[in-house]
């Protein structure tokens, strides 16, 4: 989708351990690629960038700059340098990998520590919900998300389950926080950039709260 004509640019990152499916999620969202039709992507080295335009319900068009970050410890010094310029974060774990779930709080704390009082929109993602070998329950993940003050959603690239909804949910939450003044435009910060001024229009205050298990 062309990114011309967008009013804002939002920078959103995917964080989590290696091999939880961050790259597959991004590719599925940006290109509509189905996990079952493509080979497993190579591990990300450092940070890779994707982009997509999204038309919000109220009429605003935004450009999403999406960051795919490496989960291996040896790349953490690289990924940490990008934390200051994130406005949205998808914290991703693999529902079949207990350790990746247990590391979520550490990933969250790294971002919070680097951002200070500045607001970041988080969404907890339990990926690979199509697999029957899960070892993290939906209830447990929901409880962790609630304790960290964020919503939770389960996704599957194989079934294309909730992939678009996950990114759309974060984007709409950023847009709402921006309109309410919880997130502010700053000249020296690239988390949110004003690309062009949009004409004023009536806005709807309703927004679907998307959270919970995968609805495959």
């Amino acid at each position: 989708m062309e990114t011309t004509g967008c009013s804002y640019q939002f920078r959103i990152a995917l964080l989590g351990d290696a091999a939880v499916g961050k790259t597959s999620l991004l590719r599925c969202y940006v290109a509509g690629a189905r996990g079952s039709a493509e080979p497993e992507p190579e591990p990300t080295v450092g940070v890779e960038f994707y982009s997509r335009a999204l038309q919000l319900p109220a009429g605003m068009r935004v450009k999403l700059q999406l960051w795919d970050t490496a989960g291996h410890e040896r790349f953490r010094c690289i990924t940490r340098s990008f934390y200051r310029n994130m406005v949205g974060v998808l914290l991703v774990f693999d529902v079949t990998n207990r350790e990746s779930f247990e590391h979520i709080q550490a990933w969250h704390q790294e971002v919070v520590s680097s951002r200070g009082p500045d607001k970041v929109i988080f969404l907890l993602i339990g990926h690979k919900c199509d697999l029957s070998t899960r070892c993290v329950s939906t209830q447990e993940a929901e409880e962790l998300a609630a304790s960290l003050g964020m919503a939770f959603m389960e996704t599957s690239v194989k079934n294309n389950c909730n992939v678009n909804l996950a990114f759309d949910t974060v984007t709409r939450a950023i847009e709402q926080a921006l309109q309410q003044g919880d997130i502010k435009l700053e000249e020296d910060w690239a988390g949110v950039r004003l690309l062009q001024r949009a004409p004023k229009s009536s806005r709807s205050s309703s927004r679907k709260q998307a959270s919970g298990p995968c609805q495959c």
Side-chain angles (χ1 to χ4, degrees):
M1 186 184 296
E2 291 291 333
T3 57
T4 56
C6 295
S7 300
Y8 290 94
Q9 174 182 279
F10 298 161
R11 285 187 172 178
I12 299 172
L14 277 72
L15 299 179
D17 286 5
V20 296
K22 299 186 297 295
T23 301
S24 295
L25 275 169
L26 268 173
R27 289 182 179 178
C28 185
Y29 180 63
V30 172
R34 295 290 289 273
S36 57
E38 285 200 345
E40 191 71 18
E42 293 293 323
T44 303
V45 177
V47 178
E48 295 182 2
F49 304 91
Y50 298 78
S51 66
R52 174 174 168 171
L54 181 64
Q55 189 81 32
L56 297 177
M60 180 186 294
R61 184 175 170 87
V62 298
K63 174 184 177 181
L64 306 182
Q65 187 177 90
L66 305 165
W67 297 358
D68 181 16
T69 63
H72 288 289
E73 179 63 33
R74 65 180 181 272
F75 297 119
R76 295 288 277 275
C77 62
I78 299 175
T79 57
R80 287 190 188 104
S81 66
F82 290 89
Y83 289 174
R84 286 291 302 170
N85 282 318
M86 298 174 184
V87 69
V89 175
L90 277 68
L91 294 173
V92 185
F93 71 92
D94 177 350
V95 299
T96 70
N97 181 337
R98 181 78 192 178
E99 189 175 15
S100 70
F101 175 70
E102 293 173 346
H103 291 165
I104 286 295
Q105 291 192 63
W107 285 105
H108 176 259
Q109 185 56 44
E110 278 195 0
V111 177
V112 171
S113 297
S114 68
R115 297 286 291 139
D118 298 331
K119 187 175 181 63
V120 180
I121 302 299
F122 288 97
L123 178 64
L124 181 61
I125 298 293
H127 191 43
K128 306 183 185 180
C129 67
D130 59 285
L131 299 179
S132 60
T133 54
R134 66 184 303 154
C135 56
V136 180
S137 70
T138 299
Q139 179 180 353
E140 188 175 11
E142 288 176 339
E143 290 173 353
L144 175 62
S147 71
L148 297 175
M150 65 185 73
F152 167 65
M153 188 178 299
E154 292 186 349
T155 59
S156 167
V157 167
K158 183 176 180 180
N159 296 334
N160 199 14
C161 176
N162 287 343
V163 176
N164 284 5
L165 186 58
F167 289 93
D168 293 355
T169 298
V170 170
T171 303
R172 292 173 186 177
I174 293 169
E175 188 264 349
Q176 184 179 56
L178 184 63
Q179 296 300 323
Q180 293 176 344
D182 295 330
I183 293 174
K184 300 183 184 301
L185 287 169
E186 300 176 12
E187 291 185 4
D188 59 346
W189 182 54
V192 176
R193 289 180 55 201
L194 179 64
L195 301 181
Q196 66 176 22
R197 296 191 178 278
K200 292 183 179 180
S201 60
S202 60
R203 305 187 53 79
S204 172
S205 60
S206 62
R207 181 172 63 90
K208 182 178 179 181
Q209 178 63 39
S211 62
C214 179
Q215 302 296 323
C216 300

